[in-house]
Amino acid sequence: MECAIGIDVGTTNSKVVLCELPSCNVLHVVKFESPKRTDGAGHVDFDLAALERAITRALSESVSRVPGSTVVLISVASVGESGALVFPDGTHSETSIAWFDTRGASYADELHEMGAARQLYKVTGIPAHANYGLFKLLWLRDHGVRIEGGWWLPLGDYIAWWLSGEVYQDESLASRTFMLDMANKRPAGEILDRYGLDEAMLPPLMESGCPRGTVRKAIARETGLSTACAVCVAGHDHMAGSVACSLAEQGELLNSTGTSEGILTLNRQPVLTDESFSRRLSNGIYVRSGLYSYYASLPTAGYALSWLCDTLAFEEDSFFGPYREGVSQRYRDAHFRGRELLFIPHLRGSGPPRRNVKARGCVYGISDSTTREDIVFSAYLGLAFEFGQLFDCMIGDDGASAFTLAKVTGPAVRSTLWMQLKADLLGIEARACRVNESVARGAAMLAAQKAGYDVDFDFEYTSYYPDDERHAYLEELYESQYLPLAEHIASFEGDRR
């Protein structure tokens, strides 16, 4: 039997997923916490050495599950903005700044203050923001880290380099660095010159899902993999996840949920208008040839629920199981009508249309009759409203009618409450795509298909349809209460991007 392995390097957890070929059906999953380090100043880094050790163990376990079989390819997807420096002598930086870490904010802010960010948006397709690789790289340079003679690799490309020894940048990940002329698929010379960076530090681009080398002998010895096993990169994790649920070019959007949450649509050309810049919307090179992604994300989604579970001292199995489903039924029974709290879930800053790394959350409406259940419902409602605001910002009133289906992946698909709130608020079908390990499997599927395998793209799903009466009620609550509160809070915080 031939197999493939998909690797998903995520914010909170990472997964190594063994798939059968040609179907890419999942055979085995190894999940572990993505190793990170936090210093006294609150800076967060991925611990690359610990990540390598964890992936090595997971690969070894996966290979041992299918004795006599051959793993013919490994495909890596990762968070989109973190990166690492590697050098020709085989050394590398010890850490990788987490995508949500704001150490590079001053450089991005300066571009906005100078008025240069709008023009550079037409080059990079993304609005200047602390998350992106360029600003992390500048912070490292200006704080004594050696960058001369090195290559900057987004995190997925770093893992592929560690596995294979080959140095490339995946197109999808490169388009999240703020160093790529996206439309022309080449280094953005204007930006590199501005900061005195050498174009040679950006490796050649590689199309997502294509092999870039084979497993190094040292990795093969430690894991049992063959040195003939191809190594591929499937790009940004949200994009790889969209492959697993067969996102269509027209009429569909992907709502990818996890620690964060995003909306993804596909276009034949990037959208580089002043309006899209003002709304802080991101274009990117999609993982399938000839398409561009149009993407916006919220820094907090599933993270807010985990935070709430810890804060209210819930037993996790109960909170994410029977308790949540009981709240879901009471929502359908209109139990919370008139007693809704307004939860602004800005636990890690805010997303479009007012990106602000310093934004803070809020719960409004608490009284002496507020119950624990009210607070739990408010968290899901607040996430739905924040998602609705992202949808309005990205799609707009004129474009909303073009979309009839939101395909949802990630933890939200396990919550009837969260799914029904999405459908009721947007007024369109929300389809819970039950794709086992969508990012890692999507990474394997993309590489397997490009290698010529007849991949099985079928998956189970549950559809949630909007209730007209609930839709009207939520829309009124959203427009008359949630949006004014969000705007009022934003007025206290200023423009922090």
Side-chain angles (χ1 to χ4, degrees):
M1 180 173 66
E2 289 186 328
C3 298
I5 289 176
I7 299 177
D8 166 18
V9 182
T11 306
T12 305
N13 296 301
S14 294
K15 292 89 173 275
V16 173
V17 176
L18 179 69
C19 301
E20 181 183 22
L21 288 173
S23 67
C24 283
N25 291 330
V26 174
L27 297 173
H28 183 64
V29 178
V30 181
K31 176 180 176 180
F32 55 89
E33 185 176 348
S34 299
K36 294 185 286 290
R37 291 196 291 245
T38 303
D39 66 14
H43 298 153
V44 183
D45 297 296
F46 287 101
D47 184 334
L48 297 178
L51 181 61
E52 291 169 11
R53 291 192 295 270
I55 292 176
T56 298
R57 289 191 296 269
L59 289 172
S60 179
E61 179 180 331
S62 298
V63 171
S64 71
R65 291 279 174 159
V66 283
S69 300
T70 302
V71 177
V72 299
L73 66 88
I74 296 173
S75 186
V76 186
S78 76
V79 292
E81 293 81 21
S82 295
L85 286 157
V86 303
F87 298 91
D89 62 2
T91 61
H92 59 83
S93 54
E94 294 183 357
T95 62
S96 172
I97 298 176
W99 65 267
F100 54 84
D101 187 294
T102 61
R103 269 174 275 181
S106 63
Y107 305 100
D109 289 349
E110 182 181 36
L111 290 178
H112 287 279
E113 291 160 4
M114 295 172 59
R118 184 179 296 271
Q119 183 58 39
L120 294 180
Y121 181 78
K122 299 183 186 301
V123 177
T124 65
I126 52 180
H129 190 272
N131 287 358
Y132 297 127
L134 169 66
F135 307 113
K136 299 182 189 310
L137 181 62
L138 294 174
W139 188 93
L140 291 170
R141 182 188 68 179
D142 294 346
H143 286 78
V145 176
R146 171 195 167 204
I147 70 169
E148 290 76 13
W151 294 292
W152 176 258
L153 296 182
L155 192 53
D157 294 310
Y158 171 83
I159 296 301
W161 168 80
W162 166 68
L163 288 170
S164 70
E166 300 294 332
V167 178
Y168 291 96
Q169 271 196 111
D170 171 84
E171 289 181 344
S172 168
L173 291 172
S175 65
R176 306 291 290 177
T177 63
F178 209 82
M179 291 183 278
L180 184 73
D181 178 339
M182 190 181 57
N184 296 304
K185 295 186 179 181
R186 64 189 182 202
E190 175 185 356
I191 295 173
L192 297 176
D193 289 346
R194 173 187 288 266
Y195 295 106
L197 297 174
D198 189 344
E199 187 174 310
M201 73 184 311
L202 301 180
L205 292 177
M206 176 73 74
E207 183 179 319
S208 299
C210 293
R212 56 178 60 186
T214 56
V215 169
R216 294 188 296 114
K217 290 181 181 178
I219 298 293
R221 284 195 299 270
E222 289 187 78
T223 62
L225 289 164
S226 165
T227 55
C229 177
V231 177
C232 314
V233 176
H236 188 194
D237 50 8
H238 291 286
M239 313 304 158
S242 73
V243 173
C245 64
S246 304
L247 183 66
E249 182 180 343
Q250 295 182 336
E252 297 181 1
L253 63 90
L254 178 74
N255 173 211
S256 177
T257 67
T259 302
S260 59
E261 179 170 18
I263 294 178
L264 170 68
T265 63
L266 303 179
N267 296 300
R268 285 288 169 179
Q269 296 293 331
V271 181
L272 303 176
T273 64
D274 286 341
E275 183 179 32
S276 63
F277 167 76
S278 297
R279 294 182 173 187
R280 303 297 191 259
L281 302 176
S282 299
N283 296 270
I285 300 172
Y286 188 55
V287 295
R288 292 197 184 283
S289 182
L291 292 173
Y292 290 87
S293 59
Y294 196 40
Y295 179 73
S297 66
L298 302 170
T300 304
Y303 177 78
L305 301 176
S306 296
W307 167 83
L308 186 70
C309 181
D310 291 341
T311 302
L312 297 183
F314 273 102
E315 289 292 332
E316 187 169 312
D317 290 345
S318 172
F319 181 80
F320 290 107
Y323 185 89
R324 180 173 62 184
E325 295 314 301
V327 176
S328 178
Q329 182 59 52
R330 280 182 278 285
Y331 162 64
R332 292 190 295 271
D333 294 339
H335 170 77
F336 298 103
R337 290 286 178 93
R339 56 186 298 128
E340 296 95 346
L341 307 178
L342 298 178
F343 174 50
I344 309 293
H346 295 167
L347 305 183
R348 284 177 166 170
S350 59
R354 293 180 296 271
R355 276 193 179 275
N356 186 340
V357 297
K358 299 296 185 182
R360 293 293 179 262
C362 172
V363 181
Y364 175 77
I366 293 176
S367 73
D368 60 0
S369 64
T370 296
T371 67
R372 205 181 195 202
E373 193 174 70
D374 292 331
I375 295 172
V376 171
F377 176 71
S378 77
Y380 284 94
L381 182 63
L383 290 176
F385 280 161
E386 193 77 350
F387 175 68
Q389 187 173 208
L390 189 68
F391 178 85
D392 289 346
C393 165
M394 183 173 175
I395 308 300
D397 293 338
D398 294 338
S401 61
F403 292 90
T404 59
L405 175 61
K407 287 182 171 177
V408 185
T409 61
V413 306
R414 298 192 292 271
S415 170
T416 59
L417 175 59
W418 203 355
M419 289 299 303
Q420 191 61 60
L421 282 166
K422 290 176 184 290
D424 287 343
L425 180 62
L426 298 186
I428 62 175
E429 177 190 349
R431 182 175 295 176
C433 300
R434 300 189 183 281
V435 180
N436 191 10
E437 303 300 342
S438 60
V439 172
R441 184 171 182 245
M445 294 169 81
L446 181 70
Q449 187 180 46
K450 290 192 175 183
Y453 288 92
D454 185 17
V455 176
D456 179 9
F457 284 93
D458 291 336
F459 58 87
E460 295 182 358
Y461 63 86
T462 301
S463 289
Y464 294 80
Y465 296 98
D467 175 89
D468 290 343
E469 196 270 337
R470 289 198 301 261
H471 171 63
Y473 180 81
L474 288 181
E475 195 171 48
E476 168 63 20
L477 187 64
Y478 169 70
E479 292 180 355
S480 67
Q481 297 188 37
Y482 188 84
L483 288 182
L485 177 63
E487 290 170 4
H488 193 61
I489 290 172
S491 70
F492 281 96
E493 296 169 333
D495 183 12
R496 300 287 189 128
R497 282 171 286 276

